[in-house]
Amino acid sequence: MPIHLCKLLPPRPTFPGDMTPQEAGLMQEHAGYWQKLADRGAALVVGPVLDPAGAWGLAIVDVSDAAAASALTDEDPVIRSGSGFRYEIHPIPQAILRTTHQP
């Protein structure tokens, strides 16, 4: 099970509190992109992390290797826009996943 954590770092520490209208549009495209990956089964969980040190984005992906994870993040609209976002990718060598969804 090749699981990777993809950490999206924003263009500045004050993001998303001072998000511009252009960035808001990019974030909508970003969410749609990751929703499609979740629907395909490549993304297991995606969302913002409200870290007291500064918000960042999280995607946990199930792909063959770090290169495949990087290929996904490279196609993210926020990366393709050149707006200062960047990803860190970290392997998760062992993951425990629940087998059923609990309401």
Side-chain angles (χ1 to χ4, degrees):
M1 183 178 349
I3 306 292
H4 290 78
L5 180 150
C6 303
K7 182 177 182 179
L8 177 63
L9 299 168
R12 60 191 169 280
T14 52
F15 188 89
D18 60 356
M19 189 183 322
T20 68
Q22 179 185 6
E23 289 169 335
L26 278 173
M27 293 309 292
Q28 287 184 344
E29 291 178 43
H30 160 80
Y33 172 77
W34 283 101
Q35 181 63 61
K36 288 177 186 171
L37 292 173
D39 293 345
R40 285 191 355 219
L44 303 176
V45 67
V46 178
V49 176
L50 300 179
D51 185 334
W56 49 276
L58 167 80
I60 304 291
V61 298
D62 184 357
V63 294
S64 58
D65 54 28
S70 183
L72 294 179
T73 60
D74 287 348
E75 291 302 313
D76 187 331
V78 298
I79 298 302
R80 292 176 56 90
S81 74
S83 297
F85 292 87
R86 67 183 177 86
Y87 275 98
E88 292 178 355
I89 298 174
H90 306 283
I92 302 174
Q94 297 178 354
I96 298 170
L97 302 173
R98 73 175 173 205
T99 56
T100 60
H101 178 68
Q102 302 295 319

